[in-house]
Amino acid sequence: MKMDARKYNEQTMKGLFRKIYPVIAEQALARTGIRTGLCVDLGGGPGMLGIRIAEISDLRVVIVDPLADCIALAQENIDAHGVGEQVSAQQGAAEHLPFTDNAVDLVVSRGSIFFWQDQRQGLREIFRALRPGGWAFVGGGFGSKALREEIFAEKADDAKWNRGRRERVRNNPPEHFQALLAELAIDGVVDSGDEGTWILFRKPESSA
Ligand SMILES: C[S@@+](CC[C@H](N)C(=O)[O-])C[C@H]1O[C@@H](n2cnc3c(N)ncnc32)[C@H](O)[C@@H]1O
């Protein structure tokens, strides 16, 4: 395993970012109303959001990420949190989701869509894999203004991180995601504010 993935897991996901996952998990469940069935944490990395969702709901969770290093770290985190019966980790990418049609109740994805090779195909895949009535909660952010400010203060001297983040924000304004939803004829909203930028949509019951 590459050391940088492990270092990122320890210093960022389990360190500086640790407080954002419980907040975002609550927001995802509150906004979608989904608390049972199958949840996919897409681009879940070491899985902290998916693990938290499992801890506060009856959802079974599959953490999906293209990187083998992340899947190994996710498995370690699953074991450390004692949620092995509810959560698993599987290699895969947004553009080719490893799920059959109409199989997933909730797709959550934080901080990942900005890195997908083909966002349009990824959103199309999410729509395909959702069951009618299932929800997507996809985007990025730090959960609240206070948490964002805390993280920005800690990262103030990290020029590389700030450059990358600003570039991703610049290339992915809410209008960009709104246009993608319109192109795909997906009826959804893009919320942008203190909680982050989140694409929310529900697959209509009539699309079975
Ligand atoms: C900034 S990390 C976010 C990890 C995690 N969601 C979190 O918030 O802690 C971005 C993640 O997106 C994953 N990723 C990159 N390209 C992807 C793709 N095409 N499909 C799914 N995930 C992808 C990366 O491997 C990485 O784990």
Side-chain angles (χ1 to χ4, degrees):
M1 176 181 302
K2 281 193 225 117
M3 278 312 288
D4 58 352
R6 180 168 294 282
K7 200 169 125 192
Y8 201 61
N9 183 39
E10 292 299 327
Q11 293 184 350
T12 302
M13 275 65 174
K14 289 160 75 179
L16 183 59
F17 282 21
R18 73 187 182 288
K19 289 190 251 173
I20 72 173
Y21 301 108
V23 174
I24 296 171
E26 291 283 359
Q27 289 165 353
L29 300 190
R31 293 296 303 273
T32 64
I34 302 281
R35 290 184 170 269
T36 57
L38 176 62
C39 169
V40 173
D41 180 3
L42 180 55
M48 302 312 284
L49 179 60
I51 289 170
R52 185 61 186 173
I53 283 178
E55 287 174 337
I56 61 168
S57 74
D58 292 324
L59 283 154
R60 282 178 297 117
V61 179
V62 182
I63 295 155
V64 173
D65 200 279
L67 295 182
D69 286 356
C70 284
I71 295 304
L73 289 166
Q75 194 56 57
E76 282 182 28
N77 289 334
I78 290 166
D79 295 341
H81 283 253
V83 290
E85 290 195 0
Q86 212 179 334
V87 188
S88 61
Q90 185 175 342
Q91 218 168 342
E95 294 83 354
H96 307 280
L97 284 183
F99 301 95
T100 55
D101 298 356
N102 306 318
V104 180
D105 295 86
L106 173 64
V107 175
V108 296
S109 181
R110 179 206 163 267
S112 180
I113 190 168
F114 314 102
F115 299 94
W116 299 354
Q117 278 184 2
D118 187 340
Q119 294 177 336
R120 189 177 293 99
Q121 173 62 12
L123 291 172
R124 192 183 288 123
E125 272 289 272
I126 291 172
F127 190 86
R128 177 191 65 73
L130 282 175
R131 69 155 168 84
W135 276 88
F137 184 83
V138 176
F142 303 98
S144 72
K145 185 166 186 260
L147 287 171
R148 188 185 68 222
E149 285 176 353
E150 195 179 314
I151 288 169
F152 282 11
E154 281 287 327
K155 287 283 196 185
D157 296 331
D158 188 339
K160 188 173 168 216
W161 186 82
N162 280 296
R163 220 177 14 255
R165 193 191 59 77
R166 282 200 201 99
E167 192 181 314
R168 286 192 289 281
V169 168
R170 198 171 46 245
N171 293 338
N172 294 276
E175 309 81 69
H176 162 72
F177 291 128
Q178 262 145 4
L180 281 181
L181 291 179
E183 269 179 52
L184 292 164
I186 294 176
D187 186 12
V189 295
V190 183
D191 282 352
S192 193
D194 286 334
E195 295 177 359
T197 295
W198 294 98
I199 304 166
L200 277 135
F201 61 85
R202 180 175 185 265
K203 185 165 176 175
E205 298 282 0
S206 56
S207 22

